């Protein structure tokens, strides 16, 4: 029996989704998994990217033997069902690691179609317990496990600075800053009083933002640079239209998914502030790596009431968790369970 994976072309390795996928490829390679596709590439030309990915997909089955275990990162667009079928014809079994569900924010699939597609795998690694429950509740017939949180590989060291007790807390938000995706960013400036708010990313339209003079916009910074230089005390995990709750397709998706920015913040050594109804809120509470809030309206009061001792404990826990994520702990553990089950 060999454990295998299918590498592919990633157009932008700086994007959160592709960073997560390329990290998992690296973890599998370090674990001794064999790539049955072509080597990983980063061609931006869409035609070339399509041809390279297609060539890898067509090559993959010929590298499989009876009893092998093939790990696929889902979604694999139109190729997922095809690769699963060809792997089964070769006598191999398939593990699907979920990155995104098309039936949620982008609505590209109905839940029935999503489950039917995922059912071609023999074992599924979902994001967390909430996503697992949703899959099983939709009738998924395949064994489902959980990752818990995405790892975040980086050799960069985050600075460990002593925070002055009297200083205002700095909350950073890193990611897509467009009005369409994160309307709440254009309202939150009015609530910034006892803390400061720092933005990292692209697409921010300052002219639309209320209280823009209270928002410190740093622009786009690559993840390794952010790990080394992040000017903040907390990282915010929030999505959607409103500061009152996470709403809209992107906001509601937080009830089920693991936002990759959570892992980035922890890799920066920053405790997180997350919506209390988010699936990862349970992880934050259990590991004591941040705060869970119902609304951003309460953020000022919550931070004002936070003692220096409580913050230092969260910061220490976040630093320790960041080291764990840098080593690929959660992905390794989930893959080891999958291999043991299918063997």
């Amino acid at each position: 029996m060999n454990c295998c994976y299918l590498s592919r072309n990633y157009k932008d390795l700086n994007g959160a989704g592709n960073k997560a996928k390329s990290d998992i490829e690296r973890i599998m390679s370090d674990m001794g998994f064999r790539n049955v596709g072509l080597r990983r590439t980063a061609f931006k030309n869409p035609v070339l990217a399509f041809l390279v990915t297609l060539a890898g997909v067509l090559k993959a089955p010929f590298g499989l033997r009876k009893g092998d275990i093939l790990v696929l990162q889902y979604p694999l667009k139109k190729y997922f069902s095809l690769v699963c079928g060809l792997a089964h014809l070769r006598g191999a079994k398939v593990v699907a690691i979920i990155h995104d569900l098309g039936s949620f924010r982008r609505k590209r699939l109905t839940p029935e179609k999503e489950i039917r597609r995922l059912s071609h795998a023999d074992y599924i690694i979902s994001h967390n317990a909430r996503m697992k429950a949703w899959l099983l509740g939709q009738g998924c017939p395949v064994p489902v496990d959980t990752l818990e949180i995405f790892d975040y590989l980086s050799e960069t060291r985050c600075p460990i600075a002593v925070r002055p007790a009297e200083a205002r807390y700095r909350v950073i938000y890193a990611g897509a800053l467009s009005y369409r995706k994160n309307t709440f960013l254009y309202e939150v400036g009015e609530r910034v009083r006892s803390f400061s708010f720092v933005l990292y990313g692209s697409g921010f339209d300052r002219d639309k933002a209320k209280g823009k003079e209270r928002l410190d916009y740093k622009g786009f910074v690559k993840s390794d640079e952010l790990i080394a230089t992040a000017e903040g005390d907390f990282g915010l995990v929030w999505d959607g239209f409103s500061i009152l709750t996470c709403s809209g397709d992107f906001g509601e998706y937080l009830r089920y998914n693991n936002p990759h920015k959570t892992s980035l913040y922890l890799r920066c050594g920053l405790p997180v502030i997350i919506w209390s109804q988010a699936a990862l809120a349970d992880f934050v509470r259990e590991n004591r790596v941040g705060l869970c809030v119902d609304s951003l309206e309460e953020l000022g009061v919550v931070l004002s009431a936070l003692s220096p001792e409580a913050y230092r404990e969260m910061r220490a826990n976040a630093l320790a968790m960041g080291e764990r994520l840098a080593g690929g702990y959660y992905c390794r553990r989930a893959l080891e369970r999958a291999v043991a089950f299918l063997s």
Side-chain angles (χ1 to χ4, degrees), residues 156-220:
T156 306
R157 308 296 300 180
C158 56
I160 304 176
V162 177
R163 184 183 180 280
E166 69 281 0
R168 296 198 307 171
Y169 286 109
R170 299 164 299 172
V171 179
I172 76 171
Y173 185 88
L177 308 179
S178 68
Y179 184 84
R180 182 188 68 83
K181 183 180 185 296
N182 282 313
T183 313
F184 82 90
L185 289 172
Y186 296 81
E187 307 289 334
V188 74
E190 293 187 319
R191 299 294 188 274
V192 176
R193 292 288 189 277
S194 59
F195 62 97
S196 57
F197 204 83
V198 185
L199 299 175
Y200 289 93
S202 56
F204 185 60
D205 186 348
R206 290 186 66 92
D207 293 336
K208 289 185 178 180
K210 298 177 181 177
K212 58 187 175 184
E213 67 279 0
R214 303 189 189 101
L215 304 177
D216 185 4
Y217 177 43
K218 301 292 186 181
F220 176 78

Side-chain angles (χ1 to χ4, degrees), residues 56-75:
V57 166
L58 296 176
K59 176 182 180 292
F62 297 100
L64 297 172
R65 294 185 292 272
K66 185 176 182 179
D68 285 352
I69 295 174
L70 173 64
V71 179
L72 297 178
Q73 302 199 61
Y74 179 91

